[in-house]
């Protein structure tokens, strides 16, 4: 246990003539304190306190605890004067001291006073030496990220989606997608800066024409990937890791082929990763400002955290997981503050207020403003119109809703829009129900199509509609028949259970222009009119909300986001609800398109649609579509993978065609990084369990500060990982391996933390051992990366000629 | 080694005579609260009602009355309806299978079903009635169903005194214990669930017994390793095993006890308690034996009985592996399995959908409706009926010996399949199948045209076979992997359009690992020489032997898989969030004649009381935490300890039996909440106690040799306690009677009466009166 005298690291407690090592007591302490006095980083600041209180004035027990070891454990003494309780060793109650270390400053990066302003260049360089490694890493990451970035001049993988969405911004056409708009707007911006005109279709696998500056766009996306590397470095520094661990974090971020590969294309993931990294970085930065609450720096890092949360959630909803991490951190922090009885009520309130303003209000504002910009830019009619409310669509340029006739009459051809959030257009098609009545399907559909057209006709027992007769306007309480335009069948309901919502009646299309019965009759009940108010008799296009009651059964026509199986093309089920819930907007419908040649066109007066309603509507629609992305049991997706496949990299993903002449990209992580980081999670758990049990038996393994630090970094890494991983397990939707990429970051932090804890800052190991371990880690990572770099840089020629890439049997990298 | 005995002796020495002595000398230190109650009452502090109610005699009386009421309410008209109700369809059938000794498969462990079988056998049920569908008449089939229903009703009734005892042992007064018992006693959901042949009543009974035993055991913690301590510890393990073996949800009870034990062990490990590590290990081993080894042994034992009873072939055969099936008497595999040789004519069936591999001279249309193009080859489909077009001949791709075992088809052989009627070879190629663009079309190719020889080669991969294993009919499950393109022959329940006579589509699937790609050879119709073997020629009919643990392991894995696979939607399924608020029930049974129905729903008043109880308790804990964080101790320490340790344990039971359902993908029903509901009734009782009074019965744990005597306290909830509980019980009973027609399924209700009983508009009752036109 004892160090030999020849050890390069020696103790310096200011009173070298008395060494604590003379104590026989010392044998009982598992870790003799051997903090190095010199560090490679040159951060040595002798502790004032240490000098004031020489060791020989204390008992051995006290002396043992006197040595404060920094969280990084890298031999940096802390200059922070701790409360007097910390060294009160009257009783031997270790737990009391554990509690004393509850102040939030006890973990994270060790603080040191700011250096005096540099007067000479060499002093400036001296002071900023620590920034040299990240600068080098950033340059290296520029090389990895940009190297041969334009090699595959074809649309790779999801570039087909996100490139297309970027084009929509340039063309300003409204589209619909399940992801929030920020990332795609940045794609659009990249296109704009690169001089792209938005004319390309981005069909999967198609070659880029000369008009598309795809290399420039990819480079701009890859910038986010480049920035991940220095962020990783500085986060590790802020987390108080030793310099070796910082190097490892930066190296792993630099050299993971998964992160590399995903950053090199026009995808959202590089931005998602970037903002995830910034969020963690700002949070750790903020943590280290905790000792000076309400200082400028404190406010700055807190609001930057909030800003970053807003951005990450505006790129993909996956960002909400890192938001939750910040939330948990904040809750713990506030809980500690709440227990601080010395803090004044005013300060308590200020703390709460600051968190609410910066971490709740600010992100929401950011999120909403991205949508505001989204709506402002996309002011032309486009492919996503039908997801939005009719009123919203009326405001889009190129949409003629506003000019269609205002008042609906019998004989009009209309489309009917469900008012409920995520509602679509009433639709029918020739396919029949495979269950229930086997009649023609009726669904809700989100795209414009002739099959959405319905003709309003009188009841069977009334004289047939006469196109020459007097115009009869539709009124509240009228009983009508709805005839499907293309198939001339009538909207019908009967006492057959609906296919999904089994408690409701099935709605189908039945008969034709001459065949039918009284189950085709629907009573029009007006709910209200968005312009004219509550009481209206005539039905207006767009603004009048109405319900359709089945005359015979008394049920209400309803479409509530229940998705039909594959036989219904995943469209939304329409059923007839036996219950009368007058407040259920899913039973509300409004006329969207309206054609009637006998009526005068409406004046294009301005239909206003409030932003908040559109915002909410679009978010619910996104949510609904997201939930509808469930694995299709009939159609197995060879690209999809299960969350349990990810941590140990059971599967990769072919990102493009696998022909011999194509450049092939395979989404796969650097195996060592993935395996090692996942394993470190288990190690962390085991270590925590052992330490806790030993604490319960009063074995003192660590200083309270060290323990705090061990917990703090472990908590950030573990909860970050858990929050990014666990939800995918219970999520019903289809998942892909790239969903693990943000998760991986936390696993990597955990790996570095565990290596730090067990090797780089372990007191028992010699500096030489640490060097060897460090060297082995670095070499292994670099060599594995080099081995696998092809999957991210692009593989040419027949894949089977590239030897040794299949490290697991389950990878489908080779053609069988 | 003398440690535990030592303690035991000391405890015994103190036990009977010493106890009395100490009572005589200083009654105040006597910790047994029942005695104390008697003492207090005798002491003449008052003969008022509230004190009389707290005596031991009153306690016995209360339990007696509650139990009698429980039996009365659960056995009332138990013979109605004389029809199969809801899941009796399953569990009644399983009982019949036990009596007939036919193998069946179910996702739940066997204990309760064995008991049902036993009950059925006891009352003379012969097992011929198969509980085919809801509404089948028992009377017509002469099924002694009342005897079978009596078993769960008995378990359900006995749960009441156990609930009472749990509260009593946890140190609450008789009145409060009666309150918790009433919440279960008058609950329509518990009653409805107990009166039918369903698994929940035994599950809940064993669960409550587990809790009871664990509490008894905890109270003996200062007399560790005494016989009583061991007794209750072992009882906990035993009942835990019974809970787990009753229904798969019982695993949650195991988890509850597991968590409680871990917390307990963590405390023992605490050095401040001053125990040595050897002492800790002793405790650890005691719990490992009683709560891990013993329950596992019992669980295995129940399965051993299950498998020893079910020795005949039955409906469950097909779920099991061929090796398992061959252990069952009269099993088809056992009777008909024979080795297949090259040039045999066979029929091939798909394992999941039970259709034959079929082909006929009609061709795929050149163009499908969606515009895709086919190869226009001969159709290959799945067909459910016997047909000459189902016959295939196995063509070798290697040289064969003239005779002998060399002609047997083996695992990993590459074969061709010749469609006998059209003399074409099975083929698949990189053309999209009729309905799935991702899968390959399967067609056939003339035998004599060798231009596409490679595309007709299939790799025969037997499931779970050893290298060189022979291919047998029935038992030889196999996958057919296309050699050039590596797709597996596959079919699924999807109909082709009219041009293929609505037969089932067969195509080549890329995911060859999936279980749905498994086929088996159904029968050998003719050998090469054209002779047809008769079934009699085929040898052994004696069942084979298989290791119990192998059988057990296979069954466990299948149970887990099928449990997770129960995801089909059901009109009465409901999400866990709805349960505490009783948002929706389940329609068990209806009869148009007389407008009778059984609708599983709880006593709304009781459920809301329970849910409020839980909510208030969580609120109290939260407030306590917040207050203590600010340095305020609002609750006196003994009361606080009681709240955290006793009520906290009830809350743990509730939470562990409730929250995991949020993570489950399978279909969920209201009755999955019943164990949690019982726990919430316990919480509600102790919250009521806390609200009524700040006093508690203390101490309730038995004093050990080294425990310091504590000044005992007596809970005093005053007169308001009995009054509140009595009034509540009356209201609950009233509501119970009001909803009872839905619980007992009789008498029938008119439409208006149904509407009136629809206390929440989310309940979907049958025979509701049509609302007249409104708006």
């Amino acid at each position: 246990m004892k160090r030999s005298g020849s050890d390069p690291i020696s103790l310096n407690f200011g009173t070298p003539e008395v060494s604590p090592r003379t104590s026989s007591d010392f044998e009982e302490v598992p870790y003799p304190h051997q903090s190095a006095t010199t560090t490679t980083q040159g951060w040595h600041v002798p502790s004032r306190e240490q000098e004031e209180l020489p060791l020989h004035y204390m008992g051995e027990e006290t002396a043992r605890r006197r040595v404060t070891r920094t969280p990084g454990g890298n031999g940096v003494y802390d200059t922070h004067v701790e409360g007097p309780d910390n060294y009160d060793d009257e009783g031997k109650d270790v737990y009391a001291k554990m509690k004393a270390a509850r102040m939030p400053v006890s973990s994270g990066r060790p603080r040191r006073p700011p250096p005096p302003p540099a007067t000479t260049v060499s002093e400036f360089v001296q002071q900023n030496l620590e920034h040299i490694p990240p600068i080098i890493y950033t340059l290296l990451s520029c090389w990895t990220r940009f190297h041969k970035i334009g090699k595959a001049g074809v649309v790779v993988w999801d570039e087909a989606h996100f490139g297309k969405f970027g084009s929509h911004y340039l063309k300003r056409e409204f589209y619909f997608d399940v992801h929030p708009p920020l990332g795609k707007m940045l794609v659009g911006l990249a296109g704009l800066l690169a001089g792209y005109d938005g004319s390309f279709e981005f069909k999967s696998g198609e070659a880029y024409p000369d008009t598309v500056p795809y290399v420039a766009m990819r480079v701009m996306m890859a910038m986010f990937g480049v920035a991940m590397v220095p962020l990783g470095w500085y986060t590790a520094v802020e987390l108080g890791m030793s310099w070796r661990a910082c190097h490892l974090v930066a190296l792993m971020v630099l050299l993971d082929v998964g992160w590399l590969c995903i950053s090199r294309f026009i995808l959202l993931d590089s931005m998602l990763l970037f903002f995830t990294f910034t969020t963690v970085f700002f949070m750790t930065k903020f943590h280290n400002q905790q000792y000076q609450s309400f200082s400028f720096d404190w406010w700055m890092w807190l609001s930057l955290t909030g800003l970053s949360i807003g951005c990450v959630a505006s790129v993909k909803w996956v960002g909400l997981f890192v938001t939750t991490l910040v939330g948990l951190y904040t809750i713990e922090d506030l809980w500690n503050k709440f227990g601080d009885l010395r803090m004044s009520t005013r300060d308590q309130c200020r703390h709460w207020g600051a968190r609410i303003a910066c971490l709740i209000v600010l992100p929401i504002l950011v999120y909403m403003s991205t949508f505001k910009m989204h709506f402002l830019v996309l002011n032309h009619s486009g492919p996503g119109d039908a997801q939005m409310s009719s009123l919203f669509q009326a405001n889009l340029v190129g949409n003629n809703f506003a000019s269609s006739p205002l008042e609906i009459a019998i004989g009009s051809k209309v489309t009917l829009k469900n008012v409920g959030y995520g509602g679509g257009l009433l639709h029918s098609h020739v396919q029949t129900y495979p269950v229930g009545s086997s009649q023609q399907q009726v669904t809700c559909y989100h795209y414009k199509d002739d099959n959405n057209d319905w003709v309003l006709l009188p009841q069977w027992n009334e004289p047939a509609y006469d196109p020459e007769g007097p115009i009869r306007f539709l009124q509240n309480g009228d009983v009508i028949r709805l005839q499907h335009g293309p198939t001339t069948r009538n909207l019908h309901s009967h006492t057959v259970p609906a296919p999904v919502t089994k408690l409701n009646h099935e709605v189908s299309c039945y008969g034709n222009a001459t065949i039918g019965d009284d189950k085709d009759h629907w009573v029009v009940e007006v709910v209200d009119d968005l312009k004219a108010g509550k009481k209206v008799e005539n039905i207006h296009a767009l603004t009048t909300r109405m319900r359709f009651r089945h005359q015979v059964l008394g049920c209400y026509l309803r479409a509530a986001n229940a998705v039909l199986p594959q036989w219904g093309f995943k469209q939304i089920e329409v059923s007839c609800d036996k219950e009368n819930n007058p407040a259920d907007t899913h039973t509300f419908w409004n006329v969207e398109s309206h054609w009637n040649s006998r009526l005068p066109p409406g004046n294009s007066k301005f239909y206003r649609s409030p932003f908040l309603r559109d915002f909410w509507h679009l978010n619910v629609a996104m949510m609904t579509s997201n939930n509808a992305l469930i694995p299709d049991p009939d159609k197995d997706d060879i690209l999809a993978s299960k969350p349990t496949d990810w941590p140990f990299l059971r599967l990769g993903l072919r990102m493009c065609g696998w022909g011999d002449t194509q450049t092939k990209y395979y989404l796969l992580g650097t195996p060592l990084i993935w395996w090692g980081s996942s394993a470190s999670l288990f190690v962390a758990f085991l270590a925590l369990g052992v330490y806790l049990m030993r604490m319960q038996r009063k074995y003192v393994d660590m200083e309270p500060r060290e323990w705090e630090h061990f917990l703090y970094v472990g908590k950030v890494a573990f909860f970050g990982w858990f929050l990014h991983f666990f939800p995918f397990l219970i999520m019903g939707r289809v998942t892909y391996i790239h969903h693990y990429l943000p998760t991986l970051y936390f696993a990597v932090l955990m790996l570095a933390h565990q290596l730090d804890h067990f090797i780089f800052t372990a007191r028992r190991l010699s500096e030489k051992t640490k060097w060897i371990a460090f060297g082995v880690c670095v070499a292994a990572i670099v060599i594995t990366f080099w081995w696998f770099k092809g999957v991210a840089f692009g593989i040419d020629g027949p894949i089977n000629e590239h030897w040794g890439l299949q490290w697991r049997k389950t990878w489908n990298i080779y053609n069988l | 080694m003398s440690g535990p005995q030592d303690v035991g002796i000391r405890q015994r020495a103190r036990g009977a005579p010493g106890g009395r002595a100490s009572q005589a000398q200083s009654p105040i230190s006597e910790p047994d609260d029942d005695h104390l109650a008697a003492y207090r009452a005798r002491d003449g502090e008052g003969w008022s009602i509230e004190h009389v109610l707290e005596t031991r005699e009153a306690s016995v009386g209360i339990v007696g009355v509650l139990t009698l009421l429980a039996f009365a309410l659960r056995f009332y008209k138990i013979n109605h309806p004389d029809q199969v109700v809801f899941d009796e369809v399953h569990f009644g059938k399983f009982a019949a299978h036990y009596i007939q000794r036919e193998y069946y498969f179910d996702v739940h462990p066997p204990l309760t079903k064995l008991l049902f079988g036993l009950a059925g056998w006891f009352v003379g049920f012969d097992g011929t009635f198969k509980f085919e569908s809801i509404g089948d008449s028992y009377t017509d089939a002469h099924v002694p169903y009342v005897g079978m229903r009596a078993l769960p009703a008995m378990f359900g009734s006995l749960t009441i005194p156990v609930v009472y005892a749990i509260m009593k042992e946890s140190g609450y007064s008789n009145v409060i214990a009666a309150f918790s018992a009433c919440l279960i006693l008058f609950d329509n959901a518990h009653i409805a669930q107990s009166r039918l042949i369903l698994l929940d009543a035994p599950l809940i009974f064993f669960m409550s017994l587990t809790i009871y035993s664990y509490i008894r055991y905890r109270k003996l913690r200062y007399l560790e390793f005494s016989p009583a301590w061991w007794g209750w510890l072992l009882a906990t393990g035993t009942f835990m095993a019974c809970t787990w073996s009753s229904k798969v949800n019982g695993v949650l009870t195991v988890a509850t006890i597991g968590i409680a034990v871990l917390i307990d062990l963590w405390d023992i490990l605490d050095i401040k308690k001053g125990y040595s590590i050897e002492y800790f290990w002793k405790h650890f081993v005691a719990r490992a034996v009683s709560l891990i080894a013993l329950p596992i042994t019992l669980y295995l034992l129940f399965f051993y009985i299950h498998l020893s009873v079910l020795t005949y072939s039955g409906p469950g055969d097909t779920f099991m592996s061929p090796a398992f099936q061959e252990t069952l008497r009269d099993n088809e595999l056992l009777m008909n399995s024979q080795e297949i040789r090259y040039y045999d004519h066979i029929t091939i069936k798909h394992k999941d959908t039970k259709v034959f591999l079929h082909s006929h001279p009609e061709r795929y249309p050149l163009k499908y409706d969606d515009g895709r193009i086919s190869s226009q080859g001969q159709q290959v489909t799945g067909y459910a009926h016997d047909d000459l077009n189902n016959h295939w001949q196995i063509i070798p791709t290697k040289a064969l010996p003239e005779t002998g075992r060399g002609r047997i088809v083996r695992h990993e052989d590459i074969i061709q399949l010749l469609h006998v009627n059209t003399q074409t070879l099975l083929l698949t190629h990189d053309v999209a199948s009729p309905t799935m663009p991702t899968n390959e079309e399967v067609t056939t190719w003339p035998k004599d045209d060798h231009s596409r020889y490679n595309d007709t080669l299939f790799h025969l991969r037997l499931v779970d076979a050893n290298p060189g294993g022979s291919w047998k009919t029935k038992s030889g499950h196999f996958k057919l992997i296309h050699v050039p393109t590596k797709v597996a022959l596959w079919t699924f329940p999807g109909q082709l359009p009219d041009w293929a006579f609505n037969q089932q589509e067969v195509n080549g699937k890329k995911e060859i690992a999936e279980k749905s790609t498994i086929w088996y050879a159904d029968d050998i119709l003719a050998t090469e020489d054209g002779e047809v073997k008769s079934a009699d020629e085929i040898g052994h009919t004696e069942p084979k032997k298989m290791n119990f643990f192998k059988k057990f392991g296979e069954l466990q894995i299948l149970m887990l898989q099928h449990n997770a696979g129960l995801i089909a939607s059901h009109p009465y399924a409901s999400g866990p969030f709805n349960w505490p608020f009783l948002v929706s029930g389940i329609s068990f049974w209806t009869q148009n004649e007389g407008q009778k129905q059984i609708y599983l729903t709880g006593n709304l008043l009781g459920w809301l009381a329970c849910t409020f109880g839980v909510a208030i308790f969580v609120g109290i804990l939260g407030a306590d935490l917040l207050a203590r964080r600010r340095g305020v101790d609002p609750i006196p320490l003994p009361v606080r300890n009681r709240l955290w340790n006793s009520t906290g344990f009830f809350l743990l039971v509730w939470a562990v039996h409730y929250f995991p359902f949020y993570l489950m993908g399978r279909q969920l029903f209201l009755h999955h909440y019943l164990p949690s509901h019982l726990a919430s009734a316990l919480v509600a009782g102790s919250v009521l106690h806390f609200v009524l009074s700040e006093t508690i019965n203390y101490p309730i744990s038995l004093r050990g040799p080294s425990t310091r005597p504590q000044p005992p306290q007596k809970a005093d909830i005053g007169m308001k306690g009995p009054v509140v509980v009595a009034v509540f019980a009356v209201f609950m009973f009233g509501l119970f009677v009001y909803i009872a027609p839905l619980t007992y399924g009789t008498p029938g209700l008119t439409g208006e009466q149904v509407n009136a009983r629809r206390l929440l508009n989310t309940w979907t009752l049958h025979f509701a009166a049509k609302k007249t036109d409104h708006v």
Side-chain angles (χ1 to χ4, degrees), chain A residues 36-331:
Chain A
T37 51
T38 51
T39 76
T40 335
Q41 304 256 335
W43 285 347
H44 173 216
V45 183
S47 164
R48 210 180 332 126
E49 206 176 37
Q50 299 285 346
E51 286 166 352
E52 284 163 11
L53 292 168
L55 273 179
H56 53 263
Y57 293 136
M58 290 173 250
E60 290 304 333
E61 183 77 16
T62 318
R64 210 194 300 155
R65 302 219 173 83
R66 276 283 288 109
V67 185
T68 47
R69 194 158 158 274
T70 57
N74 209 20
V76 183
Y77 285 109
D78 189 37
T79 52
H80 163 61
V81 181
E82 301 196 27
D85 326 345
N86 281 31
Y87 297 120
D88 175 15
D89 285 285
E90 282 304 307
K92 294 193 177 178
D93 187 357
V94 185
Y95 302 94
K97 274 184 282 296
M98 288 300 188
K99 280 172 204 146
R102 202 169 51 204
M103 297 310 288
V105 284
S106 56
S107 54
R109 182 187 192 175
R111 279 202 319 283
R112 56 207 163 94
T119 47
T120 63
V121 174
S122 67
E123 215 173 286
F124 178 79
V125 171
Q126 278 292 316
Q127 278 177 15
N128 289 291
L129 272 183
E130 58 182 300
H131 297 295
I132 298 224
I135 289 170
I136 293 171
Y137 281 121
T138 311
L139 293 176
L140 282 175
S141 74
C142 285
W143 180 74
T144 57
R145 263 61 173 177
F146 300 147
H147 178 62
K148 293 203 261 183
I149 196 168
K151 187 164 186 227
V154 294
V155 179
V156 174
W157 198 42
D158 275 357
E159 284 187 343
H161 295 297
F162 301 116
K164 187 173 68 203
F165 295 142
S167 306
H168 283 306
Y169 283 104
L170 297 175
K171 288 189 286 184
R172 310 192 68 177
E173 288 170 349
F174 194 81
Y175 70 91
F176 174 77
D177 180 38
V178 296
H179 299 299
L182 179 65
K184 290 166 295 181
M185 283 200 283
L186 289 173
V187 173
L189 182 68
L192 188 72
L193 293 176
Y196 165 54
D197 60 358
S199 57
F200 185 55
E201 283 272 344
F202 280 95
K203 286 217 177 88
S204 188
E206 199 172 296
Y208 284 110
D210 293 341
T211 53
V212 184
Y214 70 96
V215 177
M217 286 172 76
R218 279 186 189 165
V219 165
M220 279 184 246
M221 293 299 110
M223 305 265 251
F224 290 101
V226 170
M228 281 161 61
V229 177
L231 278 171
W233 168 275
Y234 284 114
T235 306
V237 170
E238 291 303 322
L239 283 172
M241 291 191 188
S242 69
W243 66 269
R244 289 193 184 90
C246 293
H247 276 283
L248 276 185
V249 169
L251 266 177
M252 286 192 275
V253 177
L254 175 69
L255 298 181
D256 182 75
V257 284
W259 278 331
L260 176 59
C261 189
I262 207 91
S263 308
R264 290 161 53 89
F265 299 100
I266 306 171
L267 303 173
L268 299 189
D269 298 81
S270 59
M271 285 171 273
L272 175 73
L273 285 166
F274 171 76
F275 287 120
T276 307
F277 278 47
T278 51
T279 309
V280 180
F281 173 64
F282 292 146
M283 188 184 88
T284 52
K285 204 74 186 160
F286 170 70
H287 178 82
N288 291 337
Q289 300 301 324
Q290 289 272 22
Y291 71 99
Q292 41 173 2
S293 300
F294 310 115
S295 65
F296 174 77
D297 281 0
W298 188 91
W299 276 109
M300 180 175 78
W301 295 117
L302 182 61
S303 32
L304 278 175
T305 312
L307 205 64
S308 181
I309 287 174
C311 291
V312 74
S314 309
V315 173
K316 272 189 182 183
W317 279 347
V318 174
L320 292 177
F321 300 151
V322 75
T323 309
T324 317
L325 177 68
V326 177
L328 287 183
Y329 168 77
T330 310
I331 288 170

Side-chain angles (χ1 to χ4, degrees), chain A residues 605-645:
Chain A
K605 61 187 157 191
F606 190 58
Y607 292 101
R608 283 182 57 82
S609 179
F611 165 71
L612 278 182
R613 183 152 63 193
D614 294 339
F615 167 75
W616 192 244
H617 195 117
L618 181 54
N619 272 281
V620 175
M622 283 158 57
M623 186 59 140
T624 315
S625 305
N626 212 357
N627 289 344
L629 292 176
I630 48 171
D632 187 345
D634 305 341
K635 201 174 77 181
D636 275 286
D637 192 345
I638 194 162
L639 300 174
S641 52
K642 287 193 291 294
T644 43
D645 295 337

